[in-house]
Amino acid sequence: MPGTTPSDRVAVEVTVNGGPRTVDVGTTETLLDALRWDLDLTGSKECCAEGECGACTVLIDGRAVNSCLVLAVEADGMDITTIEGLESGGRLSRLQDAFLEKGAVQCGFCIPGMVMSAQALLAQNPHPSEVEVREGLAGNLCRCAGYQRIVDAVLLAADGEPV
């Protein structure tokens, strides 16, 4: 319409961690920012803001995605799972327990993204080889260089109960 400007806020309806949510987001706001600042889900971290490190990884419709590269308005109608959504009834998931059991959590900054990428991998391939785990986590960087413990944790979760 001539003489008007579009609103810079849009209502987005999503399912987050199993529950319906409506959030007003800016048209240029990333999904990462909407999750952290609008929905107070701070497990996903902002690091590179370029999709290179994986610290912001969440699942969108079951697929691992760098939430820093997705506009929040693009997520309208989608199912989003964050690290907070893996626990159930106050209990960590088998995968999260495996990370603790194997000492794969060092500084903790990259771990939510690692866990989410591993979750997506195990949903597709419940019994991956070590090479497949390494390939599945290739988009996630760990600055503490704890990769072997992280790989061991994913393999432990794969050998245990379903994630």
Side-chain angles (χ1 to χ4, degrees), residues 2 4 19-21 26 32 41 43-44 51 57 63 65 72 74 81 92 97-98 102 107-108 113 122 140:
T4 63
R21 301 292 297 263
L32 174 61
L41 296 168
S44 302
T57 303
R63 200 174 107 237
V65 174
E74 294 177 301
T81 305
L92 297 178
D97 279 338
K102 286 296 183 177
C107 80
L122 294 176
N140 297 79

Side-chain angles (χ1 to χ4, degrees), residues 15-17 21 31-45 58 67 80-85:
T15 300
V16 179
N17 299 330
R21 301 292 297 263
L31 178 58
L32 174 61
D33 284 341
L35 292 169
R36 289 184 60 81
W37 307 117
D38 298 329
L39 297 176
D40 201 29
L41 296 168
T42 58
S44 302
K45 306 295 190 277
V58 299
S67 63
I80 301 164
T81 305
T82 68
I83 190 73
E84 293 90 346

Side-chain angles (χ1 to χ4, degrees), residues 14-101:
V14 291
T15 300
V16 179
N17 299 330
R21 301 292 297 263
T22 301
V23 61
D24 287 331
V25 297
T27 56
T28 60
E29 185 175 348
T30 65
L31 178 58
L32 174 61
D33 284 341
L35 292 169
R36 289 184 60 81
W37 307 117
D38 298 329
L39 297 176
D40 201 29
L41 296 168
T42 58
S44 302
K45 306 295 190 277
E46 181 172 3
C47 187
C48 72
E50 296 179 354
E52 295 293 327
C53 70
C56 66
T57 303
V58 299
L59 303 183
I60 299 179
D61 294 337
R63 200 174 107 237
V65 174
N66 292 320
S67 63
C68 72
L69 297 180
V70 177
L71 291 176
V73 295
E74 294 177 301
D76 192 38
M78 296 185 176
D79 184 13
I80 301 164
T81 305
T82 68
I83 190 73
E84 293 90 346
L86 295 187
E87 65 89 22
S88 178
R91 293 186 49 123
L92 297 178
S93 71
R94 173 69 184 133
L95 180 58
Q96 290 169 309
D97 279 338
F99 267 69
L100 292 175
E101 189 173 328

